[in-house]
Amino acid sequence: MILSYKDLEVWKNAMDLVEIIYNRTSGFPKEEVYGLTAQLRRSAVSVPSNIAEGFMRKNTREYIQFIHIAQGSLGELDTQIEIAKRLSYVDDTSDIDMLIILIKKQLFSLLNVLKQKTGNPQ
């Protein structure tokens, strides 16, 4: 039974992603502290934060909106990881890439469940 957003696997996975992003960006060049490092961290933190905020709203339509925001933040993070790869700040991101794909699928599934609750599955 889901009693809290902390019970959601998607939230747990998003929290794992935040931890990985913080660890990986700690080795970025110092000139990126207020640039790409900060953007990656903000995008990553936004995903579980929006899942939690939507859950706490207790209104399904608002919850859906926050899941959309989480999806957007995940897309932003995915793009920023690609930028970090192109700039050679990170090498192997397969763990991050796989977690992003998993979270995308989980958010999509959650969104479908929520939309069905509103009677509007589109």
Side-chain angles (χ1 to χ4, degrees):
M1 174 165 235
I2 306 294
L3 300 175
S4 165
Y5 56 87
K6 292 180 181 181
D7 296 326
L8 297 169
E9 287 301 314
V10 65
W11 182 86
K12 292 175 189 177
N13 289 328
M15 291 296 287
D16 290 344
L17 183 59
V18 170
E19 189 176 345
I20 292 168
I21 294 299
Y22 266 77
N23 288 332
R24 292 288 174 82
T25 57
S26 66
F28 277 23
K30 295 299 172 204
E31 64 267 15
E32 288 295 346
V33 167
Y34 299 108
L36 191 56
T37 302
Q39 287 181 307
L40 277 158
R41 290 177 174 187
R42 267 194 304 274
S43 296
V45 167
S46 179
V47 178
S49 297
N50 279 292
I51 294 167
E53 187 168 355
F55 184 92
M56 295 304 293
R57 292 295 176 122
K58 302 297 183 194
N59 176 303
T60 304
R61 292 193 191 283
E62 284 183 282
Y63 194 180
I64 289 169
Q65 181 60 32
F66 281 97
I67 297 305
H68 283 298
I69 294 168
Q71 288 175 317
S73 294
L74 196 60
E76 191 177 353
L77 177 66
D78 196 18
T79 299
Q80 293 161 354
I81 287 296
E82 184 61 33
I83 291 167
K85 282 194 280 193
R86 289 178 180 216
L87 295 174
S88 300
Y89 293 163
V90 291
D91 292 323
D92 181 24
T93 61
S94 58
D95 57 338
I96 294 170
D97 296 337
M98 287 181 3
L99 199 48
I100 287 173
I101 290 167
L102 174 63
I103 295 166
K104 280 181 186 177
K105 289 177 181 178
Q106 290 174 323
L107 286 173
F108 184 75
S109 294
L110 177 56
L111 197 55
N112 283 337
V113 168
L114 293 173
K115 285 180 177 180
Q116 287 175 354
K117 282 179 72 174
T118 66
N120 184 10
Q122 296 182 4

